[in-house]
Amino acid sequence: MARTIIPFGPQHPVLPEPLHLKLVLEDEIVQEALPAVGYVHRGLEKLTEIRDFNQMVQIVERVCGICSMIHAQCYCQGLEEMLGITAPPRARYLRTIWSELHRMHSHLLWLGLFADGMGFESQFMQCWKIRERIMDVNEATTGNRVIVSVNVVGGVRRDLNDGQLRWIGSILDQVEAELKALKKPLIDDYTVKKRTVGKGVLTAEQVYELGAAGPTLRASGVAQDMRMTRYAAFDELVFTPVVETEGDCHARLKVRYRELLASIDIVRAAMRALPEGELAVAVKDKPAGEIVTRVEQPRGELLYYLKASGKKNLDRVRIRTPTFANIPPLLAMLPGVELADVPVVVLSIDPCISCTER
Amino acid sequence: MFFMTKTVFSNLFSRYATRLHPFVVREPFPDARGELYCEIEKCIFCMTCQRKCPSQCITVDNKAGTWTCDPMACVYCGVCVDNCPVACLHQKQTYRAPTPERLMLSLTGTPPRAARLAKAKTPEAAPARAGEPKAEVPPVKAEEPKAEAAPEKGEGPNEEAASAKAEEPKLKAAPAAKPAAKPAAKAQAKPKAQAASKPKVKAKGGKGKA
Amino acid sequence: MQNVTPVTIAELKTACQAAKAEGCRLVTLSCAELDAETVDIIYHFDKDLSLKHYRLTAKKCEPVPSISDIYFAALLVENEIQDLFGLSFSGLVVDYKQTLYLEAEVRKTPFCKYSVAIANKA
């Protein structure tokens, strides 16, 4: 019964980003975990002192490479509320379409990484192959692959024409077919279940108390999704959160997989209902006041606290990213887990460390 | 991983999912945001791009008439392109090719004030010749990748012409720019008027002759 | 921003305990500098998708009681505020002593020029 401290990360084969965990082990079992972050802190919140509120749109996009669109959407929504303007309906629908496409490519990226974390290389390739179709949609419709830069305070910068909508529809059909083919080898597979079922279990009470967000929360049976707050086009679209109840890694896998299919439906519904009209409203005033806005990122609830006093620069931009909220639950998941399962459990919260540290 | 076998075999006997990249290059999407370039003869040096750029990679000097962009700081967001009042900024569809050296894109044109002064001095200036006064001065020599990276049909020729003329070092360019500024005055005035309405097509026609 | 209740340092812990008893989830803490001496710390709570906020106006030189013993989730964000604003939280479950983001030898915090935590560290 020797106690050992094993450093996990910051450079670890399964970690896409530098997260450092000090694991206190007794034999092979983790007793305690202590995180150390700070490897990719960039001080983006501080930049608001030298960049004006319009330039900040492009800066907050760079908080996270995977869900850039959703960061900008959240920021713009907050500023619009502060300025007392509303984005035109078409802009809100377009934001929804692009943000759901972002969710899909983020979840596919994660599915791939998770499979890779278990050593399931061919599944990793398969997921990323599907993801590439969505990246193509992003590039063709917004101009950029990852950091799409379509949001502007007051609306969006790009439009989708009928041809593009039809093309996106056909891509979604392909993606859906490929995803359905993925279900058996990814979700129902014996080996995958062996690696994930019963690993890193958190009950609904625990996960709620620890302030978890997104799929981590919903996999334990708490039906909380910021899209239920009806931002953007969700006030008109039908939306039901995806919930699983087991609270283990397999449940988190299932939540993300089912969310992918749900996102396809949301994009389709939004494209069908896409209203005509303006893309953006003009912004004349300077923002003043305090605002808290929340949207649902692929990893969970994203919160922006914005404070302004009628100047060109905002006084404070405070970003609470979902991974930041998911680290305390991760620390609660790890005790009792075998060392060999630590990568799977760590990946199951979909850690995005650049987000966390900003 | 038993269920995967079917997929593995179908992948084994189907075409590659990837391209053999340097040899097979996908057509760029028409709306893709790529490398930034400036039609300097249309530029009015209003400094909007410098103010709007989120990464502050553009520096405009409206006295000296220089437009400088640090392509390595550019984040391809296209905000400057959207905000340019005379639509002289454009983005190619492809990214800048990687380069081992730091490069700066520096263009010299005639700011409207200087142009007006010059016009007042010589009312009937020499026949308009667009593109005369510009001189691209890379502090570090790195011209080759630019010439390569202009594969698209639309805006390519402009940019190539710009770089082709740019073999003058900066110190020389500065005194040389003075006499050159006069004939350019006319040139500046004309495309600018057109620029507001339908910039790209017209300007290109003019450029072809030059 | 609606639903903001001002709290004092003395009331803070009881208010948070009450929020927890009500079944609120701690979303996060936000900190913003007001002037040379004070900062605003806003505690965001979520219950059934509606937010409520407690606003604590704290002096930079006074330590703020940590709520990480009530809400474990406050641990990281309180350490973050220590790093970025140089405030000091008393009773943190795990105190990184301003090394969560910053290096140990750093003497300046990004958002505030001077504070007691920095003075202690030096």
Side-chain angles (χ1 to χ4, degrees):
Chain A
M1 276 297 191
R3 267 173 99 85
T4 338
I5 296 180
I6 292 195
F8 179 85
Q11 301 301 327
H12 190 278
V14 302
L15 284 177
E17 286 179 88
L19 170 70
H20 177 66
L21 290 169
K22 281 195 191 88
L23 302 173
V24 181
L25 298 174
E26 231 162 64
D27 292 342
E28 286 274 295
I29 311 291
V30 179
Q31 302 296 322
E32 201 188 336
L34 199 68
V37 288
Y39 295 95
V40 282
H41 175 61
R42 293 158 291 166
L44 291 176
E45 290 175 358
K46 178 87 175 162
L47 265 179
T48 188
E49 290 172 15
I50 51 167
R51 300 283 195 270
D52 69 35
F53 69 94
N54 283 315
Q55 290 172 333
M56 278 306 280
V57 178
Q58 270 72 34
I59 289 166
V60 298
E61 281 188 330
R62 280 158 178 81
V63 169
C64 179
I66 305 300
C67 34
S68 62
M69 154 78 206
I70 305 180
H71 272 277
Q73 181 187 11
C74 186
Y75 174 83
C76 291
Q77 277 178 10
L79 272 190
E80 281 155 18
E81 201 181 327
M82 204 190 270
L83 289 158
I85 54 177
T86 41
R90 190 174 176 89
R92 290 192 284 121
Y93 270 81
L94 288 172
R95 278 179 183 173
T96 309
I97 292 173
W98 278 313
S99 66
E100 289 309 309
L101 285 170
H102 260 75
R103 190 180 320 280
M104 284 163 65
H105 93 68
S106 172
H107 278 356
L108 278 166
L109 176 127
W110 178 84
L111 284 178
L113 289 176
F114 191 64
D116 188 43
M118 294 185 291
F120 198 168
E121 287 282 338
S122 52
Q123 189 65 272
F124 162 69
M125 289 295 175
Q126 204 67 25
C127 292
W128 281 46
K129 186 176 144 192
I130 306 173
R131 175 174 179 259
E132 205 53 35
R133 297 190 194 281
I134 296 165
M135 303 308 279
D136 279 353
V137 172
N138 274 348
E139 189 175 355
T141 55
T142 68
N144 290 342
R145 260 169 69 87
V146 181
I147 300 186
V148 295
S149 200
V150 284
N151 279 293
V152 65
V153 181
V156 291
R157 290 167 59 194
R158 290 261 178 143
D159 199 2
L160 294 178
N161 59 32
D162 288 341
Q164 282 172 322
L165 289 175
R166 272 197 302 279
W167 178 64
I168 296 176
S170 69
I171 297 267
L172 287 182
D173 292 343
Q174 284 174 16
V175 169
E176 191 178 25
E178 280 168 316
L179 271 178
K180 289 203 165 136
L182 217 68
K183 182 165 186 292
K184 261 195 154 182
L186 190 60
I187 312 286
D188 302 337
D189 190 85
Y190 171 77
T191 324
V192 172
K193 279 187 174 165
K194 198 86 182 150
R195 288 301 303 272
T196 54
V197 173
K199 302 282 175 355
V201 186
L202 285 185
T203 62
E205 291 78 37
Q206 274 178 311
V207 99
Y208 190 78
E209 193 194 312
L210 290 165
T216 315
L217 188 63
R218 291 193 287 277
S220 293
V222 183
Q224 204 174 46
D225 189 312
M226 286 309 124
R227 285 174 284 179
M228 287 154 77
T229 59
R230 308 259 166 238
Y231 65 88
F234 289 107
D235 52 348
E236 287 155 41
L237 299 173
V238 181
F239 174 74
T240 39
V242 175
V243 182
E244 293 283 340
T245 49
E246 294 90 339
D248 56 1
C249 291
H250 194 245
R252 292 189 265 278
L253 175 66
K254 278 191 284 186
V255 165
R256 290 202 175 85
Y257 175 78
R258 282 176 51 206
E259 272 188 10
L260 266 169
L261 298 175
S263 285
I264 294 180
D265 290 339
I266 294 171
V267 176
R268 280 195 187 128
M271 288 200 303
R272 267 198 305 275
L274 187 62
E276 291 297 320
E278 293 273 295
L279 288 181
V281 290
V283 176
K284 296 191 184 72
D285 312 332
K286 301 259 161 56
E290 270 184 309
I291 277 295
V292 172
T293 42
R294 294 190 292 171
V295 299
E296 184 75 14
Q297 236 194 359
R299 290 163 186 79
E301 163 204 42
L302 171 70
L303 178 137
Y304 268 64
Y305 165 76
L306 307 170
K307 189 177 176 194
S309 53
K311 285 187 300 222
K312 204 174 71 186
N313 296 7
L314 300 179
D315 290 350
R316 178 91 170 101
V317 176
R318 194 262 187 272
I319 306 165
R320 202 299 308 263
T321 54
T323 309
F324 195 89
N326 280 336
I327 286 182
L330 173 67
L331 302 183
M333 276 174 216
L334 284 171
V337 166
E338 274 182 50
L339 180 62
D341 288 327
V342 170
V344 175
V345 175
V346 170
L347 277 179
S348 75
I349 66 157
D350 197 358
C352 179
I353 307 301
S354 310
C355 265
T356 310
E357 299 174 22
R358 308 170 301 282
Chain B
M1 327 250 154
F2 177 71
F3 296 119
M4 196 64 190
T5 322
K6 207 178 115 195
T7 326
V8 169
F9 274 105
S10 75
N11 282 345
L12 190 62
F13 295 111
S14 60
R15 283 191 304 135
Y16 289 124
T18 50
R19 279 172 225 100
L20 291 167
H21 171 61
F23 312 108
V24 185
V25 181
R26 188 198 64 195
E27 276 287 299
F29 291 109
D31 289 339
R33 293 193 187 118
E35 192 181 346
L36 178 71
Y37 69 94
C38 175
E39 290 177 70
I40 193 70
E41 67 278 3
K42 284 207 275 170
C43 179
I44 55 168
F45 297 91
C46 64
M47 301 173 90
T48 310
C49 47
Q50 181 186 334
R51 278 197 305 273
K52 297 277 182 186
C53 177
S55 70
Q56 303 194 339
C57 70
I58 302 176
T59 320
V60 183
D61 188 336
N62 58 2
K63 297 241 167 54
T66 55
W67 183 91
T68 317
C69 171
D70 180 355
M72 293 187 165
C74 176
V75 295
Y76 301 98
C77 63
V79 169
C80 53
V81 178
D82 286 2
N83 282 295
C84 182
V86 291
C88 72
L89 291 173
H90 306 282
Q91 279 182 300
K92 297 176 183 173
Q93 291 158 329
T94 48
Y95 292 129
R96 179 177 51 77
T99 148
E101 287 153 333
R102 185 176 181 82
L103 50 93
M104 289 293 264
L105 182 63
S106 182
L107 304 170
T108 311
T110 321
R113 202 176 120 79
R116 240 182 290 122
L117 286 177
K119 200 178 176 187
K121 263 187 212 160
T122 52
E124 297 117 52
R129 277 190 62 205
E132 163 74 281
K134 64 180 161 339
E136 192 182 340
V137 193
V140 198
K141 49 129 201 178
E143 211 61 280
E144 300 87 331
K146 270 204 72 202
E148 276 170 41
E152 84 290 347
K153 319 128 220 173
E155 287 80 39
N158 273 346
E159 187 61 13
E160 263 171 22
S163 49
K165 266 185 205 153
E167 260 33 292
E168 258 177 308
K170 188 153 200 174
L171 287 176
K172 268 189 199 165
K178 264 186 190 165
K182 278 173 204 166
K186 262 278 180 67
Q188 186 91 39
K190 262 191 194 164
K192 214 194 300 161
Q194 302 167 342
S197 56
K198 194 64 195 155
K200 242 186 229 170
V201 189
K202 290 250 172 83
K204 222 185 290 161
K207 259 317 267 302
K209 274 173 243 157
Chain C
M1 210 163 78
Q2 288 135 19
N3 258 338
V4 190
T5 327
V7 291
T8 61
I9 284 194
E11 294 163 5
L12 176 70
K13 283 210 143 180
T14 43
C16 288
Q17 259 147 1
K20 192 174 183 184
E22 248 176 76
C24 290
R25 179 171 62 93
L26 177 75
V27 180
T28 195
L29 274 62
S30 297
C31 192
E33 189 175 17
L34 291 178
D35 51 42
E37 268 145 36
T38 51
V39 288
D40 251 359
I41 306 178
I42 302 168
Y43 294 76
H44 308 281
F45 293 97
D46 173 283
K47 195 187 182 199
D48 298 333
L49 299 173
S50 64
L51 281 169
K52 82 173 175 189
H53 318 276
Y54 289 151
R55 184 196 299 274
L56 172 73
T57 306
K59 287 213 176 72
K60 284 182 196 168
C61 53
E62 277 176 19
V64 181
S66 164
I67 59 160
S68 58
D69 50 345
I70 306 168
Y71 282 102
F72 181 69
L75 151 90
L76 269 182
V77 67
E78 285 182 346
N79 272 300
E80 181 187 296
I81 292 173
Q82 277 198 0
D83 270 37
L84 299 182
F85 285 85
L87 285 180
S88 173
F89 282 89
S90 58
L92 264 171
V93 179
V94 183
D95 193 348
Y96 285 83
K97 299 205 166 43
Q98 292 197 309
T99 55
L100 186 71
Y101 293 160
L102 307 177
E103 296 300 319
E105 62 271 14
V106 176
R107 288 282 174 270
K108 252 165 68 181
T109 53
F111 284 95
C112 286
K113 305 288 173 300
Y114 175 79
S115 74
V116 70
I118 298 268
N120 287 344
K121 204 162 125 180

